[in-house]
Amino acid sequence: MIFLSFKMAIKSICSNKLRSFLTMLGIIIGVVSLVVLVSLANGATGSITDSISSLGSNFLTVTISDDHNAPLYLEDLSELTELDAIDCAAPTSEVSATASSSYAEETTSIIGTTAAYASIRGLELTTGRFLMRPDNDNHTNVAVISADLATEVMGRINVVGESIQLDGREFQIIGVLTEDSSSLTSSSEDSESFQAYIPYTSLIRLSDSTSRKITTFCVSAEDDNMDAAEAAMEAFLLDRFDDDEDAYTLFNQSSIAEAMDSVTNTLALLLGGIAGISLLVGGIGIMNIMLVSVAERTREIGIRKAIGAGRRVIMLQFLMEALMVSLIGCLIGIGISWAILQAINIIGNLSYPMSPGVALLSIAFSLGIGVLFGSYPANKAAKMDPIHALRFS
């Protein structure tokens, strides 16, 4: 009976091709809106999440604005690693300088830090090594440079052992970062990242703006327990700075990812809701046309009832027709959505894949629309009095 109802529904749809297509148009537009908008939102979410993740999320950044005559020095950072939930700590001080060689020169960011910084920020090296404790102890003029800086100033990547001038002072290159690590603190994906990491004590000698008093440092959490690490740092800083919460700023990197997650999820729900309204409008169009179809086929309904067709059979016939209109419109909409996303990816050189989950959701939603808005016309047809239906002309 279901198969027969299916055949009759297809036959009815094909007999009125233009009207059927116009009826499907609302569903097609709704599905295209749902799939394309949610796919774009998901793609943007993934891109933003990847960018934030590339900056690292398992660390805290502390900026001290008032040390209350109890400043932190390099040797004091070792106390932090003795706290529960704190794994590593490293000072950071950044200045702008001119990096030059016999090949070229560029303005670069110089970051003064210690050995722990690489593990805290997840820096990876193409060649060489990162800073070590003796480099800070001995104020050694050594530098780890970004891949972009090596290429632009030195002319090639493999420059370990060679010298580079930083504001006129000669530093030996001991390592070169990978390109991914080089872009971690870049302000734009399209911009080049010129960075040099040198011992904190060497930066003190190089720049007057950096002193022995540490005003900015970062710490990593043990076992990725950011909440425990944040609580431990709060307690340490409050104790050191006379319970003055305004003496410092504690920034949890993972909070950015959580905030962005919340924003993009809300955006996806909002866009999905707007697209869902389009589908509801399409469902109203289906109900309207099905009511017209029931009125046009009143005599057919009367004849079928007169020869023994029950209420269930009549209702199934019209409900199946509404379902098929909705489902075919949905499938066409998914096909158009895929084509639109492919065009966006090719033209914009982007990557916005169509999520199978969104496609399945649109199919389920469209079937629900077909059942919801097809039930009333189908029920109206099923309840017709066969005598009155046969008299209809």
Side-chain angles (χ1 to χ4, degrees), residues 60 62 80 83 86 217 219 229-237 250:
L60 304 168
V62 179
L80 298 178
L83 298 175
I86 301 297
F217 64 93
V219 297
E230 187 171 2
M233 280 306 308
E234 285 274 7
F236 173 84
L237 294 168
L250 182 61

Side-chain angles (χ1 to χ4, degrees), residues 57-73:
S57 59
N58 182 33
F59 70 92
L60 304 168
T61 302
V62 179
T63 303
I64 300 169
S65 53
D66 183 0
D67 60 25
H68 285 265
N69 295 318
L72 282 174
Y73 295 104

Side-chain angles (χ1 to χ4, degrees), residues 111-174:
I111 297 98
T113 188
T114 59
Y117 188 82
S119 62
I120 293 172
R121 296 300 304 269
L123 300 182
E124 296 179 0
L125 296 167
T126 300
T127 56
R129 65 172 178 85
F130 198 71
L131 305 174
M132 299 176 68
R133 183 170 181 174
D135 297 324
N136 267 289
D137 292 343
N138 300 321
H139 317 286
T140 311
N141 281 0
V142 293
V144 177
I145 64 176
S146 63
D148 289 335
L149 185 61
T151 303
E152 294 298 319
V153 174
M154 305 301 293
R156 60 193 185 284
I157 289 289
N158 191 11
V159 291
V160 173
E162 299 183 28
S163 295
I164 188 171
Q165 300 282 331
L166 300 176
D167 269 357
R169 292 197 183 181
E170 189 172 287
F171 282 75
Q172 183 184 20
I173 300 171
I174 58 172

Side-chain angles (χ1 to χ4, degrees), residues 1-2 4-6 8-9 290 293-294 297 300-302 304-305 308-324 370-384:
M1 187 171 64
I2 293 177
L4 183 61
S5 298
F6 172 77
M8 292 178 69
M290 289 305 300
S293 180
V294 168
R297 294 154 66 183
E300 175 193 329
I301 295 168
R304 293 195 67 198
K305 281 200 163 192
R311 177 178 175 179
R312 183 171 169 226
V313 174
I314 301 297
M315 187 167 185
L316 181 61
Q317 176 189 344
F318 285 92
L319 189 58
M320 181 65 75
E321 189 173 327
L323 276 172
M324 292 311 299
V371 172
L372 179 65
F373 289 96
S375 295
Y376 176 72
N379 189 51
K380 184 178 180 181
K383 290 196 302 184
M384 277 188 182

Side-chain angles (χ1 to χ4, degrees), residues 194-212:
F194 299 140
Q195 296 165 328
Y197 296 86
I198 67 173
Y200 188 83
T201 53
S202 300
L203 185 61
I204 294 173
R205 295 184 173 187
L206 182 68
S207 172
D208 294 335
S209 63
T210 302
S211 69
R212 291 185 63 248

